[in-house]
Amino acid sequence: MDLSQKVIYQIYPRSFQDSNGDGIGDLRGIIQRLDYLQKLGIDMIWLSPFYPSPQNDNGYDVSNYTAIDPQFGTMSDFEELVIQAKKHEIEIMLDMVFNHTSTEHEWFQKALAGDKEYQDFYYIRPLKEDGSLPTNWQSKFGGPAWEKFGETDLYYLHLYDKTQADLNWHNPKVRKSLQEVVKFWMNKGVKGFRFDVLNVIGKAPILVDSQQVDINQEKALYTDTPIVGQWIEELNQTTFGQDASFVTVGEMSSTTIDAGISYTNPTENKLSMIFSFHHLKVDYEKGEKWSNSAFDFIQFKKIIDDWQVGMFQGHGWNALFLNNHDQPRANSRFGDTDNYPFETATMLAQMIHFLRGTPYIYQGEEIGMTNPNFSNIEQYQDVETKNYYRILKDKGLGEEEIMSIIQAKSRDNSRTPMQWSDQIGAGFTKGEPWLAIANNFQNINAKKELNQEGIFHYYQQLIRLRKENPIIQKGSYRGLYLDDPHFMVYVRKLESENQPNQELLVICHFGEQERLFTMPKAYQNRKAKSLLGNGPLHKRYNGTTSLEFGPYETVAYLFKE
Ligand code: GLC
Ligand code: CA
């Protein structure tokens, strides 16, 4: 199957399905839910890390790349999962966290014990002459990016948590070791990889201060440097590049469209696609995530439009998504889940699924799960959230304001357990869940969704329509009404030799009032068929100049002549 037909589903194993009552999701739990995933219609599951780890960053701090953490199961559970998934026509994508290892990884432990060979696996540096840290860089989770290297006078670099030490990719032994990890999992039947924060692996051998202590300025010093592309190509050529059906996606922090093209244009031999995040920073105040501000809809549209146009022109390929394990729930963020839960969830889904690229669904999105709005900091578990709670306290913000920021921005928003049913434990666990379940599980759960024509059913149709319609897979993209404050509108167009030109006009209403939409001139009074919609317009269209949209209504019209 061509990449453009696939839809990928992300599982956060900790929170998906617990099979043994310890409150933590596990591999056997995933096996139990394969029927559900097949019913949804997805082609591949991306599993967030389940490798041995001290779990300071929920497994993104890996202490052994080629084993299974006992809390998630065993290697034979994993092998069973690959086999069972295949029977369900589902392939497996694994998360490779190669920018850093846990400080408990054997390599770091050997380095600590004085082994020079392994010290060269990391960025270990002396203090500056004036006694200050090797550089003034900040960790992305708050605080300085350097931590004391054992009992020595040296310091090691960590762009993330202090237990996540950055790997020195300049060392060929590091690159070789990581290639071996990739091959190990390929031999187990894995068919895809998601590479964690891949574009920050190319730090310079000599690290320098950023001009100001400003995280955005600093990023330029270690993001998308030219050597990154070279190393990705090497990884591709020595491992997965041999298999044309392999699917790879690089998580790219603060990247650019040009870089995105250079990573994903097929002639580059690097990756199938990338995740970029600019469209999910439109509710950051002056670039600061830990703030409370309404989202800028025009900017949101403009960023998506730029990426769609730019990547199309450069023959690049986008991963399409609004949710993942690091993001608050998109429906809580961009819509109204209290009054229009169905409309919000389906409108956002349609907006994403009809774009050019490969759509990702994050667990629970397909049943309309929301942010949990925990009121007490003790209910949050995430390391970044806990750090920023302290940082905001130190800045002098009051408890109430801090909690409202955390309710909106915490990564735990998407990490609460999957809501399978209205039973105690939400069908996720028979024990005490590792993170509290959102208290709306009696109303929002998979069991209920499967018994109605709701959000789940809508996702099934979106996935099916992608497979049936080349225009969704391969059509060009053009954005319309970019300055309109209420509607997001775009056209996909497929020019084919033996068929008349087809156009798919996708209209998404972001708002809770009824609102009149004027058809673009070129489409007025023409015959069209509605491919899919979440409200009355789906059935009512008969060639007109203006349409009345309900709250969060969306519709997509196919014009054939
Ligand atoms: C990525 C992961 C995130 C993790 C970070 C460091 O952004 O998605 O969960 O904390 O990398 O590994
Ligand atoms: Ca378990």
Side-chain angles (χ1 to χ4, degrees):
M1 190 193 302
D2 191 275
L3 178 64
S4 65
Q5 297 178 30
K6 291 190 178 171
V7 176
I8 300 175
Y9 185 93
Q10 182 188 357
I11 289 180
Y12 198 64
R14 271 182 112 53
S15 304
F16 191 61
Q17 176 67 63
D18 176 21
S19 70
N20 62 353
D22 66 356
I24 299 171
D26 45 55
L27 296 177
R28 299 221 73 85
I30 299 173
I31 296 173
Q32 290 170 16
R33 296 297 183 180
L34 287 168
D35 287 345
Y36 169 87
L37 295 171
Q38 185 174 29
K39 193 161 193 187
L40 182 58
I42 50 101
D43 304 282
M44 186 172 251
I45 47 182
W46 148 28
L47 301 170
S48 278
F50 47 65
Y51 321 105
S53 159
Q55 303 289 337
N56 292 323
D57 188 18
N58 287 2
Y60 282 90
D61 46 329
V62 180
S63 58
N64 180 351
Y65 288 113
T66 52
I68 312 283
D69 194 302
Q71 62 177 281
F72 295 119
T74 63
M75 193 56 86
S76 69
D77 292 339
F78 178 75
E79 287 160 356
E80 175 77 10
L81 172 62
V82 176
I83 294 169
Q84 293 303 329
K86 196 159 191 193
K87 286 192 188 145
H88 290 78
E89 295 174 81
I90 294 172
E91 292 177 325
I92 308 282
M93 167 186 274
L94 293 191
D95 212 318
M96 297 284 115
V97 190
F98 284 171
N99 174 65
H100 43 263
T101 71
S102 161
T103 49
E104 290 188 18
H105 193 286
E106 189 189 359
W107 301 338
F108 195 85
Q109 288 299 315
K110 284 186 175 161
L112 264 185
D115 188 330
K116 291 267 176 309
E117 183 182 339
Y118 285 97
Q119 287 178 359
D120 197 30
F121 270 46
Y122 297 93
Y123 289 92
I124 298 168
R125 299 287 187 269
L127 293 175
K128 288 205 208 92
E129 262 168 30
D130 65 2
S132 61
L133 291 171
T135 68
N136 59 358
W137 298 3
Q138 296 293 297
S139 151
K140 290 173 192 258
F141 290 167
W146 295 93
E147 187 69 20
K148 204 156 188 302
F149 182 60
E151 299 298 301
T152 70
D153 295 333
L154 303 171
Y155 284 73
Y156 66 89
L157 176 69
H158 63 89
L159 289 182
Y160 295 86
D161 185 53
K162 60 174 186 285
T163 63
Q164 293 168 307
D166 281 56
L167 280 167
N168 172 21
W169 277 64
H170 291 280
N171 181 348
K173 284 188 197 141
V174 167
R175 304 204 303 278
K176 184 94 197 339
S177 308
L178 298 176
Q179 289 160 19
E180 294 308 318
V181 173
V182 168
K183 288 185 201 156
F184 175 89
W185 290 109
M186 286 179 71
N187 284 333
K188 298 245 173 245
V190 166
K191 294 294 277 178
F193 292 110
R194 178 256 189 194
F195 294 102
D196 192 64
V197 293
L198 191 58
N199 61 334
V200 301
I201 57 177
K203 282 131 290 202
I206 295 173
L207 305 173
V208 297
D209 272 351
S210 85
Q211 300 293 346
Q212 287 169 29
V213 186
D214 166 46
I215 192 88
N216 290 314
Q217 273 221 3
E218 258 170 54
K219 283 179 186 166
L221 295 173
Y222 55 73
T223 305
D224 287 329
T225 54
I227 194 118
V228 173
Q230 206 174 305
W231 287 337
I232 299 176
E233 187 175 358
E234 180 188 69
L235 185 62
N236 169 308
Q237 294 297 298
T238 50
T239 62
F240 56 82
Q242 315 301 326
D243 177 349
S245 68
F246 224 82
V247 180
T248 52
V249 53
E251 187 204 20
M252 300 300 180
S253 160
S254 304
T255 194
T256 61
I257 295 172
D258 284 341
I261 293 168
S262 77
Y263 294 136
T264 62
N265 181 315
T267 61
E268 298 273 345
N269 297 319
K270 294 190 178 79
L271 301 169
S272 318
M273 64 191 130
I274 61 159
F275 291 115
S276 68
F277 295 92
H278 301 282
H279 64 297
L280 296 176
K281 297 184 179 175
V282 294
D283 54 1
Y284 290 13
E285 202 175 290
K286 298 200 189 89
E288 174 54 52
K289 164 172 169 174
W290 296 92
S291 62
N292 247 344
S293 75
F295 84 101
D296 183 336
F297 178 54
I298 303 279
Q299 214 201 338
F300 176 80
K301 291 200 294 183
K302 189 152 182 346
I303 293 167
I304 292 178
D305 183 73
D306 284 347
W307 278 85
Q308 285 286 309
V309 171
M311 292 289 262
F312 180 68
Q313 285 171 350
H315 306 284
W317 196 252
N318 285 303
L320 306 170
F321 73 106
L322 293 176
N323 290 290
N324 68 27
H325 65 290
D326 295 327
Q327 298 291 329
R329 293 278 178 186
N331 49 353
S332 297
R333 198 172 179 182
F334 303 120
D336 180 347
T337 52
D338 290 335
N339 299 304
Y340 305 105
F342 170 79
E343 290 79 2
T344 295
T346 51
M347 184 277 285
L348 292 172
Q350 178 145 318
M351 189 279 280
I352 282 293
H353 280 250
F354 287 165
L355 287 171
R356 177 179 174 276
T358 298
Y360 285 70
I361 300 168
Y362 177 71
Q363 65 182 46
E365 177 186 330
E366 76 282 10
I367 57 168
M369 279 178 63
T370 67
N371 289 350
N373 289 325
F374 296 145
S375 54
N376 188 324
I377 187 64
E378 297 304 321
Q379 290 170 285
Y380 290 91
Q381 307 278 342
D382 172 36
V383 53
E384 187 197 25
T385 306
K386 287 181 187 280
N387 287 350
Y388 273 93
Y389 178 78
R390 273 195 309 269
I391 291 171
L392 297 176
K393 270 259 143 96
D394 292 347
K395 275 194 186 158
L397 272 68
E399 179 75 13
E400 209 174 308
E401 189 178 0
I402 296 177
M403 286 316 296
S404 85
I405 293 174
I406 286 176
Q407 283 170 358
K409 297 292 169 66
S410 172
R411 302 194 298 178
D412 282 340
N413 280 317
S414 53
R415 298 177 180 183
T416 59
M418 179 75 182
Q419 294 164 204
W420 293 105
S421 75
D422 60 3
Q423 303 296 296
I424 294 173
F428 163 71
T429 184
K430 294 205 161 65
E432 191 60 42
W434 73 275
L435 176 68
I437 295 166
N439 63 16
N440 57 18
F441 72 95
Q442 275 156 330
N443 192 29
I444 300 175
N445 60 67
K447 190 154 178 236
K448 183 173 162 197
E449 274 299 314
L450 288 168
N451 287 326
Q452 63 189 22
E453 291 231 334
I455 303 169
F456 184 91
H457 177 70
Y458 205 88
Y459 272 84
Q460 284 179 314
Q461 295 181 77
L462 287 169
I463 296 168
R464 180 177 50 77
L465 286 169
R466 169 168 289 266
K467 298 196 189 311
E468 290 170 1
N469 290 278
I471 192 167
I472 300 173
Q473 300 156 18
K474 302 208 186 301
S476 65
Y477 162 93
R478 189 161 56 94
L480 297 173
Y481 294 162
L482 289 175
D483 293 324
D484 185 284
H486 309 290
F487 290 98
M488 178 158 175
V489 188
Y490 59 83
V491 187
R492 305 290 309 281
K493 184 169 183 177
L494 192 69
E495 329 224 4
S496 76
E497 285 162 22
N498 39 22
Q499 262 186 32
N501 285 346
Q502 279 192 27
E503 285 180 278
L504 181 69
L505 177 68
V506 184
I507 312 167
C508 304
H509 178 209
F510 281 70
E512 40 224 68
Q513 257 91 55
E514 313 247 291
R515 201 168 294 277
L516 221 52
F517 174 82
T518 311
M519 272 295 216
K521 275 244 158 46
Y523 304 95
Q524 288 180 3
N525 302 313
R526 278 173 61 187
K527 258 211 269 165
K529 152 181 157 208
S530 170
L531 210 55
L532 189 62
N534 65 358
L537 286 173
H538 176 44
K539 303 251 159 71
R540 219 198 287 134
Y541 179 78
N542 55 358
T544 144
T545 55
S546 69
L547 300 166
E548 169 120 346
F549 274 74
Y552 297 99
E553 187 165 0
T554 182
V555 69
Y557 294 125
L558 190 62
F559 293 85
K560 284 203 169 163
E561 54 213 70

